[in-house]
Amino acid sequence: MTPTRLEITRPDDWHLHLRDGETLASVIGHTAQRFARAIVMPNLKPPVTTVAQAEEYRRRILASLPAGMRFQPLMTLYLTESTPAEEIIRARDSDSVFAVKYYPAGATTNSQSGVRELSRVYHVLEAMEKHELPLLLHGEVTDPDIDIFDRERVFIDRHLMPLQARFPGLRMVLEHITTRDAVEFVRGAPANVGATITAHHLLLNRNALFEGGIRPHNYCAPILKRETHRAALLQAATSGDPHFFLGTDSAPHPREAKEADCGCAGLYTAHAALELYAEAFDQVGSLDRLEAFASFHGPDFYRLPRNQDRIALERTPWIVPDEYPLAGSTCKPMRAGESVAWSVVGG
Ligand code: DOR
Ligand code: ZN
């Protein structure tokens, strides 16, 4: 019989966009209801490039938490070509910064200050390797001559493999992987390399971009891929392999910024994140593997303690609202107006 209730150690989200100001206040509750901690992305405008800025941002996140909620933001720095190696020492000595995020310039939302030429940040990567600070990679090339569906695979060949050869001890997470190629690379890599997988890449393939017409709310970076890739991701996530762990990449955008001539990349999934992962694992009869993926592999990779408290889910369907308030506008969440098969008990 398939289970109708599931209780697991409280999970963490190892890749999350919380934004700032009123938007932050609109979304933080969804994450804090489900997750004890999250790795918070630094792609604000302007980006979070220093430990001092990360600490201020951390205080704003904590101040925006709804009363009575507990949540621990794990901060990251945005790597630029002018990041000094000393910033890595400051990060190591801080108790708030846990990683550095690499955006290839132009790859996605607020990535303009990112890196154009990896060799220009080698001195920073050397310091990160030495001080064991993880590098989180948005793994796509930005070369307009490369087909958008191939940009992750080409990044692995052109940049990730040479990077790994040059800095074999560097702790790296290939974020939001979307291809069989990424699964194979990470699976074959040593334990200092990991990968996050989103719920939307486990549940949707690229057909979701064009269901009866163009679907801007299913557009994200890296873009959804064909079914064979989705199947490979689901196999990896449910395999029990500790290289792979949960990272939602939940990325709120106001509705009008997505339903636009040039719509922004990002799916909002924080409202149902754990429930959507449960659906994906349930699809392949692997609910018994959800806890390790959601609650163990991430803290083990980051060398942080696993959470002590627990969270329960039950197979009770609910209808996702058409939209959520978002700083004076609205945000259309994943599954808007449709049903999600699992609920968080007491959530
Ligand atoms: O879809 C995405 N949205 N991918 C990213 O890499 C960035 C994110 C955002 O910040 O909106
Ligand atoms: Zn992201």
Side-chain angles (χ1 to χ4, degrees):
M1 229 191 61
T2 51
T4 56
R5 191 174 191 281
L6 180 70
E7 199 188 295
I8 62 170
T9 301
R10 183 172 290 278
D12 306 298
D13 184 348
W14 299 97
H15 184 125
L16 177 66
H17 297 271
L18 283 174
R19 316 300 191 206
D20 210 346
E22 278 182 67
T23 304
L24 163 63
S26 305
V27 300
I28 180 80
H30 284 151
T31 292
Q33 264 166 28
R34 292 164 179 82
F35 299 101
R37 301 169 286 197
I39 283 277
V40 179
M41 288 298 126
N43 61 333
L44 304 183
K45 269 190 241 170
V48 178
T49 56
T50 66
V51 173
Q53 288 166 349
E55 285 176 347
E56 301 249 303
Y57 182 29
R58 181 172 178 277
R59 280 191 278 278
R60 294 197 297 279
I61 295 170
L62 291 174
S64 73
L65 267 180
M69 276 197 165
R70 281 175 48 192
F71 171 71
Q72 215 185 320
L74 309 174
M75 309 312 292
T76 60
L77 300 184
Y78 184 120
L79 181 62
T80 75
E81 292 183 0
S82 39
T83 300
E86 296 77 54
E87 205 61 42
I88 302 306
I89 317 276
R90 281 191 278 275
R92 182 205 57 185
D93 293 341
S94 83
D95 49 13
S96 50
V97 173
F98 291 83
V100 174
K101 178 71 189 275
Y102 162 83
Y103 286 107
T108 186
T109 308
N110 299 339
S111 60
Q112 307 85 312
S113 321
V115 176
R116 271 160 229 285
E117 178 54 61
L118 259 170
S119 61
R120 297 194 195 132
V121 295
Y122 279 170
H123 60 292
V124 185
L125 302 184
E126 236 164 69
M128 290 175 62
E129 183 179 40
K130 176 159 172 228
H131 299 295
E132 305 195 320
L133 195 64
L135 177 68
L136 313 183
L137 296 143
H138 183 110
E140 288 193 288
V141 292
T142 52
D143 184 341
D145 292 338
I146 303 294
D147 189 284
I148 187 168
F149 293 98
D150 295 334
R151 288 180 188 173
E152 183 173 279
R153 180 177 58 72
V154 173
F155 179 85
I156 294 169
D157 292 346
R158 279 195 199 164
H159 302 297
L160 190 51
M161 287 179 173
L163 198 65
Q164 202 198 9
R166 189 176 190 105
F167 301 101
L170 183 60
R171 304 174 54 67
M172 294 195 280
V173 183
L174 190 54
E175 299 288 337
H176 42 54
I177 58 170
T178 61
T179 57
R180 179 180 294 278
D181 312 80
V183 166
E184 282 167 8
F185 173 82
V186 173
R187 187 185 281 138
N192 60 319
V193 177
T196 53
I197 307 181
T198 75
H200 47 285
H201 289 104
L202 291 177
L203 289 164
L204 303 174
N205 66 33
R206 67 190 194 176
N207 286 347
L209 289 163
F210 307 108
E211 251 163 27
I214 191 148
R215 299 290 184 167
H217 293 281
N218 287 336
Y219 171 60
C220 58
I223 198 159
L224 295 171
K225 304 297 191 299
R226 59 167 72 237
E227 176 60 15
T228 51
H229 295 292
R230 186 195 72 85
L233 296 172
L234 190 53
Q235 201 285 326
T238 59
S239 67
D241 182 335
H243 284 103
F244 302 103
F245 40 93
L246 185 159
T248 63
D249 200 18
S250 179
H253 289 280
R255 187 185 268 272
E256 62 279 7
K258 291 200 56 80
E259 297 172 8
D261 181 38
C262 183
C264 294
L267 270 80
Y268 185 68
T269 57
H271 65 296
L274 187 59
E275 299 91 319
L276 290 166
Y277 281 104
E279 249 192 59
F281 277 60
D282 200 7
Q283 272 179 11
V284 289
S286 296
L287 279 170
D288 57 328
R289 296 275 170 86
L290 181 62
E291 184 177 43
F293 174 79
S295 315
F296 297 163
H297 298 168
D300 294 355
F301 180 88
Y302 278 91
R303 299 174 177 159
L304 290 168
R306 295 176 179 181
N307 296 316
Q308 294 296 312
D309 56 330
R310 299 176 73 74
I311 188 167
L313 291 147
E314 57 185 28
R315 196 200 298 275
T316 306
W318 57 288
I319 303 290
V320 173
D322 287 330
E323 52 190 27
Y324 287 106
L326 189 78
S329 178
T330 58
C331 169
K332 188 176 170 191
M334 184 169 170
R335 289 282 170 86
E338 292 169 25
S339 125
V340 171
W342 285 82
S343 307
V344 166
V345 180

